Amino acid sequence: QQQVKQSPQSLIVQKGGISIINCAYENTAFDYFPWYQQFPGKGPALLIAIRPDVSEKKEGRFTISFNKSAKQFSLHIMDSQPGDSATYFCAARGSARQLTFGSGTQLTVLP
Amino acid sequence: SAVISQKPSRDICQRGTSLTIQCQVDSQVTMMFWYRQQPGQSLTLIATANQGSEATYESGFVIDKFPISRPNLTFSTLTVSNMSPEDSSIYLCSVAPGLTGNTIYFGEGSWLTVV
């Protein structure tokens, strides 16, 4: 599987702050880039996703920024809340609909 | 959307035994995937299990160790054979419903501990 690199590994943000998680990919054949949120003891839940022909997508407090030329994309969480504390995974979808995941970011939002 | 149910949700298994994990989806889906998430790690694709064809395994995963069945469009099983402590992981079923398969959903996972 082609690699998807994710950073940072962990992130601590104050309540109300902005959380930013970055991912970079290598395979230009990837055609869909979702972000998943995973709470302890739960399966990953789809948060937001973007196609490579779009540079930004916003859903509520969550925004994906996509830079096709740089092969990078990022998740921005505005007005971060303690309830956002979870592990976040970026992913990239291949031609067979399989996902390649980043290594994950453990986000802690302090009250 | 799709609702995915996995059984068992959690189990403690003896070394050398095998366990079959079931995945039931509330709608018919062509594309189904099995992932593994080792403790504190990311998700790794084990195999793609599309109905009507043999499962396709990723590098590092073999059918003898992880046999998969896909008898219909709503159900699949993954067996973890001859388990060792290194197999202690979360095993996740995933589906890509709809014509485009753009949205990929995951079950809650089956948490296996091998002792």
Side-chain angles (χ1 to χ4, degrees), chain B residues 85-99:
Chain B
E86 293 72 34
D87 295 319
S88 297
S89 295
I90 308 167
Y91 292 86
L92 294 143
C93 174
S94 171
V95 300
L99 293 176

Side-chain angles (χ1 to χ4, degrees), chain A residues 19-46:
Chain A
S19 304
I20 302 174
I21 304 171
N22 301 298
C23 285
Y25 62 98
E26 300 171 355
N27 187 352
T28 56
F30 288 144
D31 64 357
Y32 189 68
F33 300 85
W35 284 87
Y36 287 86
Q37 179 188 56
Q38 186 176 33
F39 292 104
K42 298 291 186 181
L46 179 65

